[in-house]
């Protein structure tokens, strides 16, 4: 978890940069140009890393791995670049890299970060690409369903995962995000006011989830919303809440699945 004081500073820093531009889709290329940074897009082999910021010969250089789908205009590439800009623009990161106190760290997009430095850079990227003022204006008085996430990710040219994370942080409806591979839960994240924090079975996804059904027969890709029941999906559900209904929208790809869950 990022310390509250650091989180507030990072948010103010990133959003002041984003809101200095009129464009809703934050023009990362203008920031790069203003900072006179060198960015290298190259094939560094699939599965290795998405981005890395290096200080050498008294200059900073950002390396972006195109083999993982990180192109200049792609949602993944934009988040990767925004993340690496975080390492450069956040004072403590830049100074540590410059002095050699912080080793260049190969970042990976759309994964749960356990390193605090990487979590800070992810949060910077989220605030830079989806500043709170604009994001909240886009969700004001809108009833939540998955179509809203789909609309927002297009508006800001970000991935569904990045958009869902930002919505969980500052959206107008509490949600939970679950990511699994081969039927095993890799990570989950939820809004502070989401009514449940824990899933049943902890690591193996329950068949009561849409993604659980998918993993039983991985043949046809899925992108659909279905109703689920709290008692069948979450831990610590009180008996008088056993009839609580939720919705799950699940998107699958080969052996992986991402679900967004919200209360009916």
């Amino acid at each position: 978890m990022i310390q509250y004081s650091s989180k507030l500073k990072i948010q103010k820093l990133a959003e002041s940069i984003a809101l200095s531009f009129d464009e809703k889709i934050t023009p990362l290329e203008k920031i790069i140009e203003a900072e006179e940074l060198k960015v290298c897009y190259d094939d560094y082999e699939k599965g290795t890393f998405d981005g890395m910021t290096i200080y050498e010969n008294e200059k900073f250089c950002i390396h972006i791995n195109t083999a993982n789908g990180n192109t200049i205009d792609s949602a993944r590439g934009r988040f990767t670049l925004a993340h690496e800009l975080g390492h450069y623009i956040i004072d403590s990161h830049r100074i540590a890299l410059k002095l050699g106190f912080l080793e260049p760290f190969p970042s990976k997009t759309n994964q749960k970060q356990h390193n605090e430095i990487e979590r800070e850079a992810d949060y910077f990227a989220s605030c830079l690409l989806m500043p709170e003022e604009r994001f909240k204006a886009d969700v004001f008085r809108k009833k939540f369903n998955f179509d809203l996430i789909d609309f927002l990710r297009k508006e800001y040219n970000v991935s569904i995962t990045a958009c869902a994370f930002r919505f969980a942080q500052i959206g107008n409806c509490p949600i939970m995000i679950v990511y699994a591979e081969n039927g095993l839960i890799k990570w989950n994240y939820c809004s502070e006011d989401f009514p449940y924090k824990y899933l049943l079975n902890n690591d193996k996804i329950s068949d009561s989830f849409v993604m659980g059904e998918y993993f039983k027969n991985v043949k046809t890709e899925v992108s659909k919303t279905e109703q689920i029941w709290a008692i069948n999906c979450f831990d610590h559900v009180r008996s008088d809440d056993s009839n609580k209904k939720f919705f799950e929208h699940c998107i699958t790809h080969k052996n992986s699945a991402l679900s967004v869950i919200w209360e009916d």
Side-chain angles (χ1 to χ4, degrees):
M1 182 180 292
I2 306 172
Q3 293 184 5
Y4 178 76
S5 58
S6 297
K7 194 172 183 179
L8 199 58
K9 288 178 182 176
I10 290 169
Q11 179 185 349
K12 287 182 176 179
L13 176 61
E15 295 186 359
S16 67
I17 295 171
L19 296 175
S20 68
F21 300 100
D22 293 330
E23 299 98 315
K24 180 181 281 191
I25 297 177
T26 305
L28 300 180
E29 68 285 351
K30 290 183 180 179
I31 300 172
I32 294 295
E33 184 178 350
E35 296 293 337
E36 297 182 348
L37 277 170
K38 183 180 180 182
V39 179
C40 298
Y41 286 86
D42 209 344
D43 185 336
Y44 297 101
E45 296 184 12
K46 193 169 184 177
T48 51
F49 68 94
D50 284 290
M52 189 184 300
T53 300
I54 294 174
Y55 181 76
E56 58 185 4
N57 299 322
E58 300 186 352
K59 289 183 179 180
F60 282 93
C61 181
I62 295 174
H63 295 272
I64 306 292
N65 187 5
T66 57
N68 282 350
N70 294 288
T71 58
I72 293 174
D73 294 323
S74 71
R76 185 184 185 111
R78 283 175 52 75
F79 192 91
T80 297
L81 180 54
H83 173 104
E84 297 307 322
L85 277 170
H87 287 316
Y88 174 77
I89 293 174
I90 297 171
D91 286 340
S92 58
H93 293 207
R94 184 181 65 258
I95 292 168
L97 280 168
K98 194 171 184 178
L99 296 178
F101 297 150
L102 178 65
E103 289 293 322
F105 192 89
S107 67
K108 293 188 176 182
T109 300
N110 290 344
Q111 293 197 11
K112 187 173 183 180
Q113 303 287 3
H114 299 286
N115 181 300
E116 185 175 357
I117 295 294
E118 290 302 292
R119 288 199 299 268
E120 288 181 350
D122 270 354
Y123 187 63
F124 177 92
S126 184
C127 295
L128 182 68
L129 297 174
M130 295 165 281
E132 185 170 347
E133 179 182 311
R134 288 178 179 155
F135 197 88
K136 282 190 170 181
D138 279 333
V139 302
F140 184 62
R141 292 184 176 175
K142 288 185 173 72
K143 181 175 172 60
F144 184 82
N145 57 42
F146 186 76
D147 289 342
L148 183 55
I149 294 289
D150 200 40
F151 163 76
L152 291 166
R153 63 104 178 169
K154 293 172 185 174
E155 284 289 290
Y156 294 93
N157 193 10
V158 294
S159 69
I160 288 172
T161 304
C163 188
F165 259 91
R166 191 61 170 150
F167 194 95
Q169 293 166 351
I170 61 173
N172 60 354
C173 171
I175 66 171
M176 175 181 277
I177 312 159
V178 182
Y179 176 73
E181 293 178 356
N182 298 313
L184 298 178
I185 300 167
K186 292 298 181 179
W187 54 260
N188 68 82
Y189 180 86
C190 64
S191 307
E192 288 185 3
D193 52 348
F194 191 80
Y196 303 106
K197 304 300 178 187
Y198 303 101
L199 301 170
L200 281 180
N201 305 327
N202 240 357
D203 56 351
K204 188 177 186 303
I205 195 72
S206 165
D207 292 347
S208 298
F209 287 97
V210 178
M211 64 161 59
E213 293 177 6
Y214 169 74
F215 284 122
K216 286 176 67 177
N217 187 19
V218 184
K219 288 184 179 179
T220 304
E221 298 297 340
V222 168
S223 179
K224 64 179 180 179
T225 298
E226 286 192 2
Q227 185 177 282
I228 57 175
W229 300 87
I231 194 70
N232 296 327
C233 299
F234 304 112
D235 209 352
H236 306 305
V237 178
R238 297 180 306 180
S239 58
D240 53 346
D241 286 338
S242 60
N243 290 325
K244 265 194 172 184
K245 293 182 289 187
F246 288 75
F247 285 108
E248 174 193 0
H249 186 93
C250 178
I251 302 168
T252 65
H253 180 63
K254 295 182 179 178
N255 66 334
S256 64
L258 179 80
S259 283
V260 177
I261 302 166
W262 66 97
E263 191 169 1
D264 183 12

